[in-house]
PDB file of all heavy atoms in Angstrom:
ATOM      1  N   PRO B 250     -43.923  -3.996  -1.378  1.00 95.00           N
ATOM      2  CA  PRO B 250     -44.801  -3.549  -2.458  1.00 95.00           C
ATOM      3  C   PRO B 250     -46.121  -4.329  -2.429  1.00 95.00           C
ATOM      4  O   PRO B 250     -46.159  -5.456  -1.937  1.00 95.00           O
ATOM      5  CB  PRO B 250     -44.009  -3.906  -3.713  1.00 95.00           C
ATOM      6  CG  PRO B 250     -43.166  -5.068  -3.311  1.00 95.00           C
ATOM      7  CD  PRO B 250     -42.839  -4.865  -1.858  1.00 95.00           C
ATOM      8  N   PHE B 251     -47.186  -3.676  -2.948  1.00 94.00           N
ATOM      9  CA  PHE B 251     -48.478  -4.367  -2.985  1.00 94.00           C
ATOM     10  C   PHE B 251     -48.814  -4.927  -4.352  1.00 94.00           C
ATOM     11  O   PHE B 251     -49.718  -5.736  -4.478  1.00 94.00           O
ATOM     12  CB  PHE B 251     -49.598  -3.445  -2.486  1.00 94.00           C
ATOM     13  CG  PHE B 251     -49.663  -3.414  -0.996  1.00 94.00           C
ATOM     14  CD1 PHE B 251     -49.050  -2.412  -0.277  1.00 94.00           C
ATOM     15  CD2 PHE B 251     -50.306  -4.441  -0.314  1.00 94.00           C
ATOM     16  CE1 PHE B 251     -49.076  -2.415   1.106  1.00 94.00           C
ATOM     17  CE2 PHE B 251     -50.335  -4.446   1.068  1.00 94.00           C
ATOM     18  CZ  PHE B 251     -49.717  -3.437   1.783  1.00 94.00           C
ATOM     19  N   THR B 252     -48.104  -4.451  -5.384  1.00 94.00           N
ATOM     20  CA  THR B 252     -48.421  -4.955  -6.730  1.00 94.00           C
ATOM     21  C   THR B 252     -47.123  -5.310  -7.455  1.00 94.00           C
ATOM     22  O   THR B 252     -46.044  -4.815  -7.123  1.00 94.00           O
ATOM     23  CB  THR B 252     -49.150  -3.881  -7.577  1.00 94.00           C
ATOM     24  OG1 THR B 252     -48.217  -2.815  -7.814  1.00 94.00           O
ATOM     25  CG2 THR B 252     -50.386  -3.352  -6.890  1.00 94.00           C
ATOM     26  N   ILE B 253     -47.267  -6.153  -8.453  1.00 96.00           N
ATOM     27  CA  ILE B 253     -46.116  -6.558  -9.262  1.00 96.00           C
ATOM     28  C   ILE B 253     -45.485  -5.341  -9.939  1.00 96.00           C
ATOM     29  O   ILE B 253     -44.246  -5.218  -9.975  1.00 96.00           O
ATOM     30  CB  ILE B 253     -46.554  -7.620 -10.306  1.00 96.00           C
ATOM     31  CG1 ILE B 253     -46.807  -8.949  -9.570  1.00 96.00           C
ATOM     32  CG2 ILE B 253     -45.503  -7.775 -11.404  1.00 96.00           C
ATOM     33  CD1 ILE B 253     -47.290 -10.083 -10.458  1.00 96.00           C
ATOM     34  N   ASP B 254     -46.304  -4.428 -10.399  1.00 95.00           N
ATOM     35  CA  ASP B 254     -45.743  -3.254 -11.083  1.00 95.00           C
ATOM     36  C   ASP B 254     -44.901  -2.392 -10.129  1.00 95.00           C
ATOM     37  O   ASP B 254     -43.799  -1.976 -10.473  1.00 95.00           O
ATOM     38  CB  ASP B 254     -46.856  -2.401 -11.710  1.00 95.00           C
ATOM     39  CG  ASP B 254     -47.345  -3.020 -13.015  1.00 95.00           C
ATOM     40  OD1 ASP B 254     -46.672  -3.961 -13.513  1.00 95.00           O
ATOM     41  OD2 ASP B 254     -48.402  -2.585 -13.498  1.00 95.00           O
ATOM     42  N   ASP B 255     -45.465  -2.188  -8.937  1.00 94.00           N
ATOM     43  CA  ASP B 255     -44.703  -1.404  -7.957  1.00 94.00           C
ATOM     44  C   ASP B 255     -43.399  -2.117  -7.604  1.00 94.00           C
ATOM     45  O   ASP B 255     -42.349  -1.494  -7.433  1.00 94.00           O
ATOM     46  CB  ASP B 255     -45.515  -1.204  -6.667  1.00 94.00           C
ATOM     47  CG  ASP B 255     -46.647  -0.201  -6.862  1.00 94.00           C
ATOM     48  OD1 ASP B 255     -46.696   0.426  -7.931  1.00 94.00           O
ATOM     49  OD2 ASP B 255     -47.477  -0.081  -5.943  1.00 94.00           O
ATOM     50  N   ALA B 256     -43.493  -3.418  -7.473  1.00 97.00           N
ATOM     51  CA  ALA B 256     -42.312  -4.194  -7.088  1.00 97.00           C
ATOM     52  C   ALA B 256     -41.234  -4.092  -8.169  1.00 97.00           C
ATOM     53  O   ALA B 256     -40.047  -3.902  -7.868  1.00 97.00           O
ATOM     54  CB  ALA B 256     -42.695  -5.646  -6.838  1.00 97.00           C
ATOM     55  N   LYS B 257     -41.635  -4.218  -9.434  1.00 97.00           N
ATOM     56  CA  LYS B 257     -40.659  -4.141 -10.527  1.00 97.00           C
ATOM     57  C   LYS B 257     -39.983  -2.785 -10.570  1.00 97.00           C
ATOM     58  O   LYS B 257     -38.773  -2.671 -10.781  1.00 97.00           O
ATOM     59  CB  LYS B 257     -41.355  -4.415 -11.880  1.00 97.00           C
ATOM     60  CG  LYS B 257     -41.620  -5.880 -12.108  1.00 97.00           C
ATOM     61  CD  LYS B 257     -42.488  -6.113 -13.319  1.00 97.00           C
ATOM     62  CE  LYS B 257     -41.697  -5.987 -14.620  1.00 97.00           C
ATOM     63  NZ  LYS B 257     -42.516  -6.548 -15.751  1.00 97.00           N
ATOM     64  N   HIS B 258     -40.794  -1.770 -10.364  1.00 96.00           N
ATOM     65  CA  HIS B 258     -40.268  -0.417 -10.393  1.00 96.00           C
ATOM     66  C   HIS B 258     -39.213  -0.232  -9.284  1.00 96.00           C
ATOM     67  O   HIS B 258     -38.116   0.291  -9.512  1.00 96.00           O
ATOM     68  CB  HIS B 258     -41.430   0.566 -10.193  1.00 96.00           C
ATOM     69  CG  HIS B 258     -41.017   2.000 -10.228  1.00 96.00           C
ATOM     70  ND1 HIS B 258     -40.632   2.631 -11.396  1.00 96.00           N
ATOM     71  CD2 HIS B 258     -40.906   2.912  -9.227  1.00 96.00           C
ATOM     72  CE1 HIS B 258     -40.294   3.880 -11.106  1.00 96.00           C
ATOM     73  NE2 HIS B 258     -40.454   4.080  -9.799  1.00 96.00           N
ATOM     74  N   TYR B 259     -39.552  -0.706  -8.107  1.00 97.00           N
ATOM     75  CA  TYR B 259     -38.659  -0.565  -6.959  1.00 97.00           C
ATOM     76  C   TYR B 259     -37.390  -1.396  -7.168  1.00 97.00           C
ATOM     77  O   TYR B 259     -36.261  -0.942  -6.917  1.00 97.00           O
ATOM     78  CB  TYR B 259     -39.400  -1.011  -5.694  1.00 97.00           C
ATOM     79  CG  TYR B 259     -38.679  -0.732  -4.395  1.00 97.00           C
ATOM     80  CD1 TYR B 259     -38.011   0.470  -4.179  1.00 97.00           C
ATOM     81  CD2 TYR B 259     -38.694  -1.665  -3.366  1.00 97.00           C
ATOM     82  CE1 TYR B 259     -37.371   0.725  -2.978  1.00 97.00           C
ATOM     83  CE2 TYR B 259     -38.050  -1.413  -2.161  1.00 97.00           C
ATOM     84  CZ  TYR B 259     -37.385  -0.223  -1.973  1.00 97.00           C
ATOM     85  OH  TYR B 259     -36.748   0.030  -0.783  1.00 97.00           O
ATOM     86  N   ARG B 260     -37.583  -2.600  -7.683  1.00 97.00           N
ATOM     87  CA  ARG B 260     -36.432  -3.486  -7.903  1.00 97.00           C
ATOM     88  C   ARG B 260     -35.473  -2.861  -8.913  1.00 97.00           C
ATOM     89  O   ARG B 260     -34.249  -2.900  -8.735  1.00 97.00           O
ATOM     90  CB  ARG B 260     -36.931  -4.853  -8.399  1.00 97.00           C
ATOM     91  CG  ARG B 260     -35.829  -5.913  -8.483  1.00 97.00           C
ATOM     92  CD  ARG B 260     -36.426  -7.273  -8.780  1.00 97.00           C
ATOM     93  NE  ARG B 260     -35.408  -8.310  -8.907  1.00 97.00           N
ATOM     94  CZ  ARG B 260     -35.363  -9.213  -9.882  1.00 97.00           C
ATOM     95  NH1 ARG B 260     -36.299  -9.221 -10.840  1.00 97.00           N
ATOM     96  NH2 ARG B 260     -34.410 -10.117  -9.907  1.00 97.00           N
ATOM     97  N   MET B 262     -35.064   0.314  -9.462  1.00 97.00           N
ATOM     98  CA  MET B 262     -34.343   1.417  -8.812  1.00 97.00           C
ATOM     99  C   MET B 262     -33.188   0.894  -7.959  1.00 97.00           C
ATOM    100  O   MET B 262     -32.110   1.488  -7.919  1.00 97.00           O
ATOM    101  CB  MET B 262     -35.302   2.236  -7.936  1.00 97.00           C
ATOM    102  CG  MET B 262     -36.243   3.098  -8.760  1.00 97.00           C
ATOM    103  SD  MET B 262     -37.047   4.378  -7.731  1.00 97.00           S
ATOM    104  CE  MET B 262     -38.060   3.368  -6.649  1.00 97.00           C
ATOM    105  N   MET B 279     -33.693  -8.152  -3.707  1.00 98.00           N
ATOM    106  CA  MET B 279     -34.899  -7.598  -3.093  1.00 98.00           C
ATOM    107  C   MET B 279     -35.784  -8.721  -2.549  1.00 98.00           C
ATOM    108  O   MET B 279     -36.066  -9.694  -3.250  1.00 98.00           O
ATOM    109  CB  MET B 279     -35.662  -6.786  -4.134  1.00 98.00           C
ATOM    110  CG  MET B 279     -37.027  -6.315  -3.697  1.00 98.00           C
ATOM    111  SD  MET B 279     -37.661  -5.147  -4.938  1.00 98.00           S
ATOM    112  CE  MET B 279     -39.429  -5.377  -4.738  1.00 98.00           C
ATOM    113  N   PRO B 349     -52.927   1.610  -1.910  1.00 89.00           N
ATOM    114  CA  PRO B 349     -52.619   0.636  -2.966  1.00 89.00           C
ATOM    115  C   PRO B 349     -53.254  -0.741  -2.726  1.00 89.00           C
ATOM    116  O   PRO B 349     -53.311  -1.556  -3.640  1.00 89.00           O
ATOM    117  CB  PRO B 349     -51.095   0.532  -2.908  1.00 89.00           C
ATOM    118  CG  PRO B 349     -50.696   1.012  -1.550  1.00 89.00           C
ATOM    119  CD  PRO B 349     -51.738   2.030  -1.167  1.00 89.00           C
ATOM    120  N   ALA B 398     -40.524  -9.399 -10.593  1.00 98.00           N
ATOM    121  CA  ALA B 398     -40.876  -8.384  -9.592  1.00 98.00           C
ATOM    122  C   ALA B 398     -39.960  -8.386  -8.385  1.00 98.00           C
ATOM    123  O   ALA B 398     -39.892  -7.400  -7.652  1.00 98.00           O
ATOM    124  CB  ALA B 398     -42.325  -8.598  -9.134  1.00 98.00           C
TER     125      ALA B 398
END
Side-chain angles (χ1 to χ4, degrees):
Chain B
F251 278 97
T252 67
I253 287 178
D254 282 348
D255 287 352
K257 282 171 78 166
H258 181 72
Y259 189 42
R260 188 172 178 226
M262 287 195 294
M279 172 171 152

